[in-house]
Amino acid sequence: MQTITAVYPLLPFTSAAITALVGFYAYRRRAVNAAAIHLAGMMLPVTIWTACIGLQRLSQTPAVFLFWVDVSFTAIAFIPVTALFFTLALTGYDAWLTLPRRAALLSIPLLTTLFIWSNEAHGWFLQQQEVDWVNGVLDHTQWVGGFWYHVYAGYSTALLLAIIALTAVTARRAPQPFRGQAAAVLIWSGLTFLIVIPLSLLGQGGSRLLPLLPAVNALIFAWATFRFRLLDLAPIARAALVESAHDGMLALDDKGRIVDANPAWQALTGLARPDIMGRALADLPPPWAELAHAVAQPGFQQEITIEQPSARRYLHLQSAALQGHNGRASGHLLLLHDLTPLKLMETLEQRVAARTRDLTILYNVASLISRAPPLPTTLADCLAAILEATPGASGAIVLGDAAALEVVAQRDAHNLAADPAFQPLWQHIAAGENGFLTHNLAADPRITPWLTAPPPYPTLIAAPIRAQAEPTSRGALLLFGHTAPRFNVEDLGLLLAVGEQIGIALDNDYLRRQAETAVITAERHRLARDLHDSVTQLLYTQMLFADATQKQLHAGRADVAAAHLERLSATAGQALREMRLLIYQLRPLELAQANLYMAVQRRLEMVEQRAGLETHLEGEWPDNWPTAVEETLYRLIEEALNNALKHAAATAVTVTLCQSNGRLELEIRDDGRGFDPAASQPGLGLTHLQERAAQLGGHLEIISKPGMGTAVKASLPQSSIANRKS
């Protein structure tokens, strides 16, 4: 006992130094293993607790002794919960540690800390404690725990039992080296649970041996770190490597060492999982040693061959980078797929190349169709693209209906596409669905009935072309080739897909022609309607005035005839203005070539000024508005000018645009006959004006009096225009 007393002051500080070194090393390894930061967090309160035991023995007054006792209890309060955090991270269950659960687990230690430092006020943690000199050092002579002390003791015991259960299950199920890692944690938790309590019951001698426990546990973690690479190999959950998967999966850490493998890998490679765990890939037999460096390259994939006692196995190996919790590379996942059955047909590289070719051709054809050039150009380009990617030496596209098919695109006019004798065959292909493939035109019984001379090419592959929008339309895509290289079934599949794309091009062309016809018809109807509503009626009115004038002249009423001639002149002028307006409306929108100011100015010059009106364009006209805003403003101005030209009998018109108090104020004013807005029913033109103002978030006002002209005012918020611009 005296020997223990003599060396005792060194034990706590020695233990504190060991635990601090383990915690510091774990903190340095936090980028490699997510569990390392939790181990460092656990070692911190352990170090504080052990150091406080030594400081208690060095205390010279009861007050200082009791202070270090409180610090020691505070550190002890956090050891079980930080140990649980570390265990969950080590065994791969750290996802369970959500923020609310962390807060719940830490609530008891935090309350314990509060009760420790406020114990004098309530005595909940310690009911009674007495300190006196024992064998030359201060120590407790009497110590009685309060009710919260027993609450915390039960909580800590429950956490230790949970740690023991979790590590025991992991140690039983996990492969090496993770089994050794879990066993180390199990030993630590077992020592803590099975030794602390018995030592606490031995009195002074037992309590003096307690500082040895952190040192022993720290040495256990140090041994596990170097023996089982506790902070080096990141554990991988077994659920991530699907045990029933047919493809092999192998996980490597950032140093190229094997940390896990599934049963399929063992079956495909013949390498037993217990024999390769923890070893570097470079240490395995060929071909793995040669691939150790290559698998670390981005996008690595390669076909390998493994000789096994039963047979040769062809495998496709692919590597994918793994990232740790901090976003840094933490290793690689190797995927192994068995290609042996596919090798009976062709290599994987050939299949990938053929698939890439098909996708490229389909993409190019779709791009040609989407650009919507003239249909003959589209068909010629599609034919050139398919000939470039297949063994075809010549080709043609025939289109038509059930009566006849004509060549619309071809490469090499000496093929059989234009031969009238082959029309039945082309019609048969166009009406079918499965296409046509032959490697011997001269001997194929499906061809020989139409052959009158040796064919220029020995092979033929063809696919139907169907147009959905025009059911009567049909066609065929024909490719002719030499004996070698030969067309195959994949070429036929590609040709069928291209035929469908060409069918889409035919649909687009048909719908475009239909749309153009509809637009032209609608425009003709609009012109006919406008001519009837305006110019035709004005011309008819002129005829009436001319006839009335002639009758008045015969009757000798020159003054009445003069009045009719004046009305006739006014009507003719109005008809001329209406005709100029219709002609101007047939022109493309001026905004396509100029800004809003220039477009309005051009309109005034082309219509109003030529109709004899005096025009004025005033105010501030910004030139950086969005096209949609300018078009809406232009249509609003145009509608107002049209109304003035048709109905106002004005001699002058003024268009003004200015900015005031965050709003745009637009005004179109004329000096015409005017009208009473209250007594007039709003027509279609006024409705259009109100709708266009509302599109820009503004409102419209009509100011007019009989004989005083008319002003159309639109007030528009600049914020609405700015939003459209953004």
Side-chain angles (χ1 to χ4, degrees):
M1 180 65 68
Q2 292 185 358
T3 301
I4 295 176
T5 303
V7 300
Y8 181 77
L10 297 177
L11 294 180
F13 296 110
T14 302
S15 296
I18 295 174
T19 55
L21 287 174
V22 172
F24 179 73
Y25 180 76
Y27 179 78
R28 293 288 301 272
R29 302 296 295 174
R30 67 188 185 280
V32 177
N33 190 337
I37 190 66
H38 295 288
L39 178 59
M42 183 183 74
M43 286 300 167
L44 178 61
V46 172
T47 302
I48 295 174
W49 166 52
T50 313
C52 286
I53 294 177
L55 292 172
Q56 292 174 28
R57 300 308 175 187
L58 297 178
S59 300
Q60 299 298 314
T61 63
V64 174
F65 175 84
L66 292 176
F67 172 79
W68 291 119
V69 168
D70 290 342
V71 175
S72 175
F73 277 127
T74 302
I76 293 173
F78 288 91
I79 292 176
V81 69
T82 54
L84 180 63
F85 290 170
F86 166 67
T87 304
L88 290 172
L90 183 69
T91 54
Y93 295 100
D94 51 339
W96 184 84
L97 282 175
T98 60
L99 187 60
R101 288 171 177 167
R102 288 177 185 267
L105 290 171
L106 287 170
S107 61
I108 298 297
L110 291 174
L111 287 174
T112 301
T113 302
L114 176 64
F115 295 153
I116 288 172
W117 293 97
S118 61
N119 187 72
E120 292 185 1
H122 46 70
W124 291 352
F125 188 77
L126 291 178
Q127 288 186 355
Q128 183 179 2
Q129 62 174 335
E130 295 181 5
V131 179
D132 202 352
W133 293 92
V134 178
N135 297 326
V137 295
L138 288 172
D139 202 351
H140 281 106
T141 57
Q142 187 174 2
W143 190 91
V144 179
F147 87 93
W148 187 260
Y149 171 80
H150 298 289
V151 171
Y152 173 71
Y155 177 72
S156 300
T157 302
L159 293 185
L160 285 174
L161 291 175
I163 293 172
I164 292 173
L166 186 61
T167 52
V169 172
T170 303
R172 184 174 63 86
R173 295 180 178 178
Q176 288 290 9
F178 305 126
R179 181 178 300 169
Q181 296 177 1
V185 179
L186 182 61
I187 294 173
W188 169 83
S189 55
L191 286 175
T192 304
F193 184 74
L194 299 175
I195 296 180
V196 171
I197 296 176
L199 286 179
S200 301
L201 299 176
L202 293 178
Q204 296 294 331
S207 62
R208 291 178 180 178
L209 294 176
L210 282 179
L212 290 174
L213 181 61
V216 173
N217 284 335
L219 292 175
I220 291 174
F221 281 113
W223 170 71
T225 297
F226 295 101
R227 175 61 181 86
F228 300 111
R229 296 182 294 281
L230 178 64
L231 304 179
D232 202 11
L233 296 179
I236 299 177
R238 294 299 301 163
L241 301 173
V242 183
E243 291 290 331
S244 60
H246 296 292
D247 287 348
M249 301 180 185
L250 184 78
L252 303 175
D253 69 353
D254 59 343
K255 293 183 174 56
R257 294 171 297 197
I258 300 171
V259 295
D260 214 340
N262 70 341
W265 183 280
Q266 177 175 323
L268 292 174
T269 62
L271 300 175
R273 183 162 54 181
D275 297 337
I276 62 175
M277 294 299 297
R279 298 176 60 185
L281 192 65
D283 297 336
L284 299 184
W288 307 110
E290 293 81 359
L291 296 172
H293 177 71
V295 296
Q297 303 301 317
F300 169 81
Q301 59 177 343
Q302 182 177 328
E303 183 180 331
I304 61 175
T305 304
I306 296 180
E307 298 291 344
Q308 293 185 344
S310 58
R312 175 180 297 177
R313 191 182 291 275
Y314 297 93
L315 304 172
H316 178 253
L317 178 65
Q318 186 174 358
S319 173
L322 298 175
Q323 291 186 345
H325 294 272
N326 56 3
R328 298 179 182 177
S330 61
H332 289 81
L333 179 65
L334 304 186
L335 302 176
L336 204 59
H337 181 66
D338 190 4
L339 298 178
T340 306
L342 297 178
K343 273 297 180 178
L344 299 176
M345 300 171 56
E346 56 185 352
T347 65
L348 178 63
E349 294 177 356
Q350 291 172 332
R351 295 179 62 86
V352 171
R355 187 59 177 166
T356 302
R357 180 208 63 173
D358 294 352
L359 293 176
T360 302
I361 290 299
L362 291 176
Y363 173 79
N364 291 337
V365 171
S367 298
L368 292 171
I369 295 173
S370 65
R371 290 200 294 267
L375 183 61
T377 303
T378 300
L379 298 178
D381 291 342
C382 290
L383 180 61
I386 191 68
L387 284 173
E388 183 179 351
T390 62
S394 175
I397 297 177
V398 294
L399 294 178
D401 51 27
L405 296 174
E406 296 181 358
V407 177
V408 295
Q410 71 175 347
R411 177 77 63 87
D412 181 10
H414 298 290
N415 57 44
L416 303 175
D419 191 338
F422 282 86
Q423 275 285 321
L425 178 60
W426 306 153
Q427 289 283 2
H428 174 73
I429 295 172
E433 296 182 355
N434 300 324
F436 187 89
L437 173 62
T438 179
H439 293 126
N440 192 341
L441 276 169
D444 194 314
R446 298 171 296 177
I447 305 293
T448 51
W450 298 288
L451 282 178
T452 57
Y457 297 98
T459 62
L460 168 66
I461 185 172
I465 297 174
R466 297 282 184 84
Q468 301 296 328
E470 196 174 7
T472 59
S473 178
R474 61 170 63 177
L477 175 58
L478 313 173
L479 296 186
F480 302 88
H482 300 290
T483 302
R486 301 174 59 174
F487 294 116
N488 55 36
V489 176
E490 290 188 353
D491 293 327
L492 181 58
L494 173 61
L495 213 64
L496 289 169
V498 173
E500 293 179 358
Q501 294 292 321
I502 295 176
I504 294 174
L506 296 179
D507 290 338
N508 292 342
D509 181 73
Y510 174 78
L511 295 174
R512 183 166 53 251
R513 286 186 280 111
Q514 291 293 102
E516 291 174 354
T517 301
V519 169
I520 293 173
T521 302
E523 184 63 15
R524 286 175 177 173
H525 289 165
R526 187 188 70 82
L527 286 175
R529 185 172 57 253
D530 289 348
L531 285 171
H532 176 269
D533 293 342
S534 57
V535 178
T536 302
Q537 293 184 5
L538 290 172
L539 291 175
Y540 181 71
T541 302
Q542 293 178 46
M543 291 175 57
L544 295 177
F545 277 121
D547 184 61
T549 301
Q550 186 178 14
K551 291 179 179 180
Q552 294 300 327
L553 288 174
H554 286 310
R557 298 175 183 158
D559 53 343
V560 178
H564 286 341
L565 287 175
E566 184 178 351
R567 295 286 300 275
L568 177 62
S569 176
T571 304
Q574 182 65 23
L576 179 61
R577 287 192 291 269
E578 295 279 355
M579 184 60 69
R580 290 187 184 279
L581 181 59
L582 287 174
I583 294 173
Y584 182 80
Q585 289 176 345
L586 294 177
R587 298 167 56 86
L589 185 62
E590 296 289 344
L591 290 174
Q593 294 82 26
N595 58 25
L596 178 62
Y597 177 84
M598 297 176 63
V600 175
Q601 186 179 46
R602 180 67 172 167
R603 155 65 194 242
L604 294 174
E605 292 174 353
M606 294 292 295
V607 181
E608 277 71 22
Q609 290 182 13
R610 292 191 178 186
L613 274 69
E614 180 183 348
T615 63
H616 301 279
L617 190 57
E618 302 174 352
E620 304 173 2
W621 295 77
D623 57 358
N624 60 344
W625 283 338
T627 303
V629 174
E630 288 193 337
E631 183 173 348
T632 303
L633 287 173
Y634 180 82
R635 293 303 186 190
L636 194 154
I637 295 171
E638 184 182 47
E639 189 75 30
L641 291 174
N642 291 347
N643 290 337
L645 190 66
K646 292 179 180 180
H647 310 298
T651 60
V653 64
T654 301
V655 181
T656 306
L657 181 66
C658 60
Q659 305 180 38
S660 176
N661 298 326
R663 302 185 72 84
L664 288 178
E665 305 294 341
L666 174 64
E667 180 183 85
I668 302 94
R669 179 180 295 275
D670 66 67
D671 62 350
R673 63 171 61 98
F675 67 99
D676 184 2
S680 302
Q681 293 293 331
L684 189 60
L686 179 58
T687 302
H688 286 171
L689 289 172
Q690 293 172 339
E691 290 175 352
R692 297 191 188 282
Q695 287 178 7
L696 297 177
H699 63 273
L700 190 75
E701 181 181 7
I702 307 294
I703 302 175
S704 182
K705 290 183 179 180
M708 301 296 292
T710 301
V712 178
K713 293 185 176 182
S715 181
L716 313 171
Q718 287 183 313
S719 59
S720 176
I721 296 176
N723 291 337
R724 287 173 174 257
K725 185 176 181 180
S726 62

